[in-house]
């Protein structure tokens, strides 16, 4: 009777869901079942959205932010203050900061944090691009490091501060308005705002 | 600055994820981001799996179970005992019972439970198909009702028992080996087995 209880195409779909970050086996099966509840049109739009996102989203050549335009909207915006670059670990942090509508400078997205424990060395994140950009662009006067206040976030911040010291550029760290050990992505607007106001120079 | 923080194709993808059952807005965004971590090939296979599942999966004309074959593997299996039909509320319950490898009869999948509170009347679930099938097929000697032992599950079981009474077919209910108020889908194999052994006649 082996195999008589399985629906091949559903198993395959569940397996695809399970490849997404943080999706366990049971959740994957539940999500696969709920695809069956979509209309044909919805399912087609879903599949198309996956392909579209993969096709159109790449890293902005200036700040490494994920974007579906040639240069990301922040870098392309002439109203943004080009003298400040805020360094974040990922696009989720950038979106959280943008939501506050308080910061008006540019960004640099690292796409990760240095973590010797997980074998993530400085060359595995977009650090070289930051150094090159800051060295080449004389309009940059301040680099605000806004990595999460976790062990890896602090270590990465220290590392960047040390790297940039010879350049004479002002390097600041957002204040601990964000609860220590927490994640920037989940901070409320007020806490994020306080964190920006209270930034201190290294 | 409105809109400068958004990546259109990512927002669209997140919105598609949010249409799946039990996926909140934050989870949808997280899932959309993790699609970007897939390789191009993985993303294509994911999109294809969605379309495949929708295209190939339909309800078995005999038992209403979801299947990607013409007749579902259980109904098509000549080794299954055709004198017993086990009524379940959904395919998940069926898969849970199949996993125990103890039950060797056929199934009937209702795709829902009667729930006046939620406006689900008897005509909204696959009840008519059960009655027609049982009336037309003289080999059916027993109908085992294995809906979840919740309020709706019990009410649906009672309703079916009453409907089938005139036919003279034996109608049984699986025993309360499953904790009352719980869901069949999450029962362990032993509990499910006891529930089958202890079934009682209406």
């Amino acid at each position: 009777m082996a195999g008589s209880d399985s629906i091949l195409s559903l198993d395959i779909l569940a397996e695809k869901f399970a490849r997404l970050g943080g999706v366990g086996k049971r959740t994957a099966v539940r999500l696969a079942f709920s695809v069956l509840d979509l209309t044909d049109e919805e399912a087609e739009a879903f599949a198309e959205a996956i392909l579209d996102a993969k096709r159109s989203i790449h890293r902005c050549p200036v700040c490494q932010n994920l974007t579906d335009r040639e240069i990301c909207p922040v870098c392309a915006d002439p109203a943004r203050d080009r003298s400040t670059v805020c360094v974040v670990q990922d696009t989720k942090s950038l979106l959280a900061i943008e939501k506050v509508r308080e910061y008006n400078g540019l960004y640099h997205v690292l796409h990760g944090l240095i973590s010797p424990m997980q074998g993530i060395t400085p060359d595995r994140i977009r650090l070289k691009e930051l150094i090159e950009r800051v060295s080449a662009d004389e309009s940059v006067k301040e680099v605000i490091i806004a990595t999460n206040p976790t062990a890896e976030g602090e270590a990465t911040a220290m590392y960047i501060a040390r790297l940039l010291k010879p350049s004479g550029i002002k390097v600041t760290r957002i204040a601990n308005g964000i609860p220590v050990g927490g994640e920037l992505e989940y901070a409320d607007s007020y806490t994020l705002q306080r964190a920006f106001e209270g930034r201190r120079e290294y």
Side-chain angles (χ1 to χ4, degrees), chain A:
Chain A
M1 221 69 59
S4 76
D5 56 346
S6 76
I7 306 165
L8 186 63
S9 51
L10 197 71
D11 290 345
I12 292 173
L13 181 56
E15 189 211 289
K16 303 302 176 202
F17 272 112
R19 294 209 187 172
L20 301 180
V23 176
K25 210 179 150 189
R26 186 175 287 282
T27 304
V29 170
R30 186 173 58 73
L31 291 172
F33 267 110
S34 58
V35 165
L36 300 181
D37 294 333
L38 299 177
T39 65
D40 284 352
E41 292 69 34
E42 284 175 325
E44 272 164 41
F46 184 17
E48 196 50 51
I50 289 169
L51 298 176
D52 253 12
K54 278 299 286 182
R55 243 184 254 127
S56 63
I57 297 175
H58 59 269
R59 287 176 175 152
C60 170
V62 180
C63 74
Q64 309 296 324
N65 183 22
L66 296 175
T67 181
D68 48 10
R69 312 194 202 168
E70 200 185 323
I71 302 280
C72 85
V74 175
C75 288
D77 185 346
R80 306 288 297 219
D81 169 16
R82 263 136 230 289
S83 69
T84 321
V85 172
C86 174
V87 178
V88 289
Q89 66 185 65
D90 52 28
T91 298
K92 284 177 217 171
S93 291
L94 185 154
L95 294 177
I97 295 169
E98 282 298 282
K99 224 180 248 166
V100 187
R101 292 170 195 280
E102 189 73 13
Y103 176 69
N104 194 38
L106 301 180
Y107 289 96
H108 186 89
V109 183
L110 295 172
H111 293 286
L113 293 173
I114 300 167
S115 170
M117 296 284 285
Q118 292 177 59
I120 304 174
T121 46
D123 57 299
R124 296 278 299 277
I125 63 174
R126 300 297 173 115
L127 206 50
K128 187 170 59 89
E129 288 83 353
L130 171 67
I131 307 303
E132 283 173 3
R133 172 184 176 192
V134 167
S135 315
D137 184 354
E138 291 202 347
S139 53
V140 179
K141 302 299 178 212
E142 180 178 357
V143 172
I144 305 174
I145 308 179
T147 51
N148 287 336
T150 56
E152 284 91 356
E154 293 293 353
T156 306
M158 290 290 290
Y159 189 89
I160 295 172
R162 237 180 349 210
L163 270 184
L164 290 177
K165 190 143 202 179
S167 70
I169 291 165
K170 186 173 169 186
V171 180
T172 56
R173 177 90 175 103
I174 54 165
N176 261 5
I178 300 158
V180 172
E183 290 187 17
L184 220 129
E185 182 187 349
Y186 302 114
D188 61 273
S189 300
Y190 185 69
T191 308
L192 260 172
Q193 207 165 320
R194 292 305 302 272
F196 267 79
E197 285 163 7
R199 69 185 187 268
R200 58 189 164 72
E201 191 164 355
Y202 268 114

